[in-house]
Amino acid sequence: VTDKKTSSEIGRLLAVASNEGKFKFKMARNNSTQFVESDAEYNLNTTYLVVMKYEFVDGQKNDIVRLWVNPTDTKNEPAATVSSEGAAFSSADANRLQAVELRQGSTNSTTGPQLTLDALRIANAWGDLFDAQSTDEPELAVTPHVVYNLDAAETGSTTPYATYMVNYKNLPSATQVYITGANGNQFEANMTEIPAGSGSAEVTVNYKPTAIGRHSDRINFETTVNTLNCGYALAAMAYDPQNLPTITVNGDNLKEFKCKVGETQEQTFTVTTANFPDYGKAVIKGDAQGAFVINNATLLKSGETAIKVTFKPTKIGSFTETITFSGVKAESKTLVVKGVAQAGAPEPGAEGDVLPLSDVAPYRKLNETFNGTTKNEPVQIKDWKNLALQGTRAWWGYEWTEDGNKAAKITPYDGKIGSGLGTPCQMMLVTPPLDYKNANPQVFSFRVMGNFMIQGMTDKLEVCYMEKDGDSFYAEPIDIAIPATADLNKEWQSFNVHLEDQNIADVFYIGFRFTGTRGSDNTATYYIDDVTWGLGTPTGVTAVDATKNVADVQYVNLAGQVSNKPHAGVNIVKIVYTDGTVSVTKVVK
C-alpha cells in the first residue's frame, strides 16, 4: 500500500454516464493518451467483474492497456472488450508499476459516481488471476440466530438467548469461543472451542442473570487467522420476581394551573421508583395539544425523580393532560393535570379591541347585519369585542360589490409571509353581553360562509359559548357543523342554536373563534352575517306576522303587570316588529 504519492497514473479506467440508467467504461494508458470507450452500455446498480491489463511491449510508446467485462474463460485470455491499440500516445511508456490507485474526482459542478469495489486481485498471468479464486485458504462463516424476545428475564433463571451456526474449512488450529465484557458472567456458551480443520458446529448461548439490570456482553470467535475473527453483541435485561419494580407518584401537591395565553406557570412533583432493571419513562399523552410539557422523561432505576410541569397555553380554554409513568415489569401509573388559559395582553400593533368584556346592559334582543363595517378594515361595532388573541390580525369587514351586502370576514392569508414561514394566529369576534334570563325566544342565529377551504385543512372556525371571568373569559366550543370542505365553498349556511332550558349564566356571550396559521400557505376564509339573539316567534305567541322580524314583546296580565315573559292566566300581548309596526293579541298561558 502506497499512500499520498504523486507519481504518474498509468493505465486509467473510468466509468462515465451514458443513457438514462446506463454507463460506459473508458480507458487509456495515461492522462496524455487518447481515451478508448466501450461500445456496450452497462446498467447502473449492477455488479460486473472487470479485468484490466497493462502490457509492457518492447520499444517506445507502444505499451497496451486492455479491458474485459464479465469474462467467462478463466483459463485462456479471450479477446478484449476494449483495447488501447491504435490510440494516440504521446508520452513515454511506464518503467514499472508500484500500486493500484482508487481515485474519486469531484468539482463544484460535477460530482463523481458512487462505486462499490470488492475482490481486488493482481496477477502476472491470466490463469493465475482466476486460479487464485479456488484455493485451500481457511474459511470461517458464523450465522447468528437470536431467539431471546423478553423485555426482561427473572434472576436465577436460564433463558435461551441465541444460536450461532459455524461453518469452517481448512482452519490450521482450533477456534476459541468466549464471552467478554463487563457482564460476562450473565451469559453462558455451550462450548469454548471449535476444532481445527473443516466442518460445522452450533454454539448455543443462554442468558443466566444473577442480578437485576441491563446486561451487555459480546461473544467472540477467534482463530489464528486474524482476518477470520468475528464477534456479536449480547444484550438482555433481568428483574427480581421477589422484589418487583414499583412506581409511586407524589402529585397531591399540584394545583390547577392558571395563566394567561403567552405566559407560563410551573409546578413540580416527584416520582419514587424502586427495583427497576433499567431507567423508566414519563410520557405526556398529548390530549392538551401541547399546553403542558415536562422537563424530564426519564425515571431513576431506584430513587426519587423530580419532574417539573410547565403550562404554556397558546389559546384560551380549559385543558386536561395525562402523564404516564412506566418501567419494565412495573405497574404503570398516571397523573392528570388541569389548566385554564385566560386571554393575555394583545401583541404590540394588534388590531381590534382589548379586554375585559363588558357585562353592563345585556341585550335581550340582538340583530346585527354588519352594515356599519368597512371592507378589509378591522370590525368596530358598539358593544362587540374584536380580539387578536394570538398574532396581530383581527376580524375585518367585507362588502360584495354585486349586491352591497356586508359581513364580518376572517382569513389567515398573508402574501408577505413566505411558504413554510407561517405563524400561529387566533382571532375572536365576541357579541355584546346577552341577556339569557329575559330573552324570548332563547335562540341564537347566524349565517356563515366559507371560501378557499380544502380537505384536511388545519384552519378552524368555532362558535363558542362564553362567560366573563374577571378581566378574562371562559370559552367552550358549541357542537356546530361549521363548513370546512371544498364542496361547501361559497355557500351560506344558516344556524339556529336553541338555548332553552340550558344551564347558562344570566349574562353570557357568543364568540366566533378562528384558529390557524397566518401566511401564504393558508387561504381558508370565513364570513359571518345576520347574527341575532332573542328574535323570532316568542313563547306562547302564535299570531305573529311571519313576513316580519319581531323586535320586542310585552305581556300584560289583567292586573296591569308588564313582563317580558307570559304571566299565568290571561295575557294581552303587544308585539313590536323591527319595521316599527305593532300588533296586539290575547293568549292564555
Side-chain angles (χ1 to χ4, degrees), residues 337-367:
V337 292
K338 297 182 178 181
V340 175
Q342 303 171 324
E347 295 185 19
E351 300 173 344
D353 305 312
V354 296
L355 292 171
L357 302 175
S358 172
D359 55 3
V360 178
Y363 283 50
R364 186 162 56 88
K365 295 187 180 294
L366 173 69
N367 184 24

Side-chain angles (χ1 to χ4, degrees), residues 365-425:
K365 295 187 180 294
L366 173 69
N367 184 24
E368 181 56 60
T369 61
F370 300 99
N371 286 336
T373 60
T374 303
K375 184 175 181 179
N376 292 338
E377 293 291 337
V379 170
Q380 290 183 317
I381 304 175
K382 183 178 182 296
D383 296 330
W384 285 69
K385 287 290 186 180
N386 186 13
L387 305 172
L389 297 178
Q390 188 172 14
T392 58
R393 178 174 290 181
W395 283 75
W396 293 347
Y398 192 77
E399 181 178 1
W400 284 268
T401 56
E402 55 268 25
D403 60 5
N405 183 49
K406 292 188 176 183
K409 167 190 171 182
I410 194 65
T411 180
Y413 178 76
D414 189 336
K416 297 179 182 179
I417 299 177
S419 179
L421 302 176
T423 57
C425 61

Side-chain angles (χ1 to χ4, degrees), residues 133-186:
Q133 293 186 13
S134 56
T135 67
D136 292 331
E137 292 181 355
E139 296 180 11
L140 178 68
V142 180
T143 304
H145 176 57
V146 177
V147 297
Y148 181 84
N149 60 0
L150 303 178
D151 54 357
E154 296 181 0
T155 55
S157 66
T158 298
T159 304
Y161 183 83
T163 58
Y164 301 85
M165 181 56 66
V166 182
N167 293 294
Y168 56 98
K169 293 181 181 179
N170 309 315
L171 291 182
S173 59
T175 298
Q176 303 303 311
V177 180
Y178 62 95
I179 296 174
T180 184
N183 308 124
N185 61 340
Q186 307 295 306

